[in-house]
């Protein structure tokens, strides 16, 4: 059958349309994979720390290891992006504390909110309080900026006479590391326990501690070791 002159352009348009649909689908699948990998990595790092292997993250995200590395060339790049949101939250918390008219109240607010963020995300807590070498590209830069802001807030709070004169940034890091160890049956209970711990820490950081009611205690799982013999 003889083809008309207009058939070739029409067929070409159809081919381009199908090709565009395939490309769009591939891009959509790639976006979905990236979102799923980040969600799985964030949950894994938060629950189990930073030692979770890439192979295990790939398995949970139901993708191949090569797919993970295609989106995130290194493990450090993966956890850096996974923690980008909580890192931004921490920076915003410290900036809010610096804006407070009373530096001591700003300092207390920062302690309370930072501990809440860290209680909900143990993987981020470990990343924030340690020197993880290869995250230096952007995670460490953001963290170091936040730490510089914290140092300025500490300096201001000391000048009010409310914060102990011998308080140093490392005291806060130790408190955050201890806070990261809280184990509870639910995120809500972890946050509640963290609030009480934050109140205890604030009292210990104060130059002249004033007895004040603590937030309610939370029942936490306790285990006792059997004595030998």
């Amino acid at each position: 059958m003889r083809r008309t002159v207009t058939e070739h352009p029409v067929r070409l348009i159809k081919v381009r349309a199908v090709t565009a649909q395939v490309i769009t689908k591939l891009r959509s699948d790639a976006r979905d994979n990236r979102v799923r990998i980040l969600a799985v990595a964030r949950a894994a790092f938060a629950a189990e720390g930073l030692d979770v292997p890439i192979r295990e993250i790939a398995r949970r995200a139901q993708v191949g290891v090569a797919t993970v590395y295609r989106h995130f060339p290194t493990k450090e790049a993966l956890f850096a992006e996974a923690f980008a949101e909580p890192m931004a939250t921490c920076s915003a918390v410290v900036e809010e504390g610096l804006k407070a008219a009373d530096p001591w109240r700003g300092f207390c607010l920062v302690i309370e909110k930072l501990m809440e963020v860290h209680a909900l995300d143990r993987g981020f807590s470990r990343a924030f309080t340690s020197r993880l070498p290869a995250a230096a590209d952007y995670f460490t830069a953001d963290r170091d900026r936040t730490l510089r802001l914290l140092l300025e807030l500490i300096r201001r709070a000391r000048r009010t006479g409310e914060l102990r004169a011998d308080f140093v940034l490392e005291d806060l890091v130790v408190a955050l590391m201890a806070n990261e160890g809280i184990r509870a049956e639910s995120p809500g209970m972890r946050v509640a326990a963290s609030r009480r711990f934050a109140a205890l820490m604030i009292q210990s950081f104060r130059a002249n501690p004033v007895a004040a009611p603590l937030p309610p205690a939370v029942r936490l799982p306790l285990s006792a070791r059997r004595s030998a013999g």
Side-chain angles (χ1 to χ4, degrees):
M1 185 174 68
R2 190 175 180 181
R3 299 183 184 278
T4 65
V5 177
T6 58
E7 283 187 38
H8 294 291
V10 170
R11 291 178 63 198
L12 183 58
I13 289 171
K14 289 181 178 179
V15 170
R16 286 176 176 171
V18 171
T19 303
Q21 289 174 4
V22 171
I23 292 173
T24 301
K25 180 65 166 61
L26 289 173
R27 287 175 179 169
S28 176
D29 288 346
R31 284 195 299 269
D32 291 345
N33 285 342
R34 183 182 180 85
V35 169
R36 191 161 62 252
I37 291 166
L38 278 173
V40 167
R42 193 175 294 116
F45 291 146
E48 304 163 45
L50 302 177
D51 297 328
V52 184
I54 287 290
R55 185 173 298 279
E56 177 60 17
I57 290 171
R59 186 188 69 80
R60 297 181 193 180
Q62 298 181 333
V63 299
V65 173
T67 299
V68 176
Y69 280 115
R70 189 155 51 246
H71 289 283
F72 307 98
T74 65
K75 185 178 183 182
E76 290 76 15
L78 174 57
F79 69 66
E81 187 148 348
F83 296 143
E85 185 177 340
M87 188 70 251
T89 299
C90 282
S91 295
V93 165
V94 178
E95 288 171 0
E96 182 183 355
L98 277 170
K99 291 177 183 176
D102 179 351
W104 169 249
R105 290 309 311 156
F107 175 81
C108 294
L109 177 145
V110 166
I111 297 294
E112 292 163 357
K113 291 193 174 183
L114 281 186
M115 287 196 171
E116 181 172 336
V117 171
H118 286 235
L120 289 173
D121 196 333
R122 293 199 295 272
F124 172 66
S125 180
R126 294 179 189 184
F128 186 87
T129 56
S130 64
R131 290 280 175 185
L132 297 169
D137 287 345
Y138 54 95
F139 177 80
T140 302
D142 287 346
R143 182 191 61 186
D144 288 349
R145 174 182 174 275
T146 301
L147 292 178
R148 286 195 298 272
L149 295 176
L150 268 172
L151 284 170
E152 174 59 19
L153 180 59
I154 289 168
R155 185 184 67 80
R156 294 182 188 180
R158 277 209 216 97
R159 286 174 56 186
T160 67
E162 294 283 358
L163 180 62
R164 296 173 60 119
D166 57 354
F167 179 89
V168 293
L169 179 62
E170 285 73 14
D171 296 325
L172 175 55
V173 172
V174 169
L176 289 173
M177 293 173 70
N179 183 70
E180 183 269 334
I182 293 175
R183 300 291 182 269
E185 294 178 358
S186 69
M189 292 179 70
R190 274 206 309 276
V191 169
S194 177
R195 285 176 183 150
R196 185 177 175 92
F197 181 63
L200 286 166
M201 288 296 94
I202 287 170
Q203 287 195 22
S204 70
F205 295 156
R206 196 163 193 170
N208 298 297
V210 178
L214 295 173
V218 176
R219 186 178 295 277
L220 299 175
L222 301 175
S223 60
R225 294 182 180 177
R226 293 182 179 181
S227 58

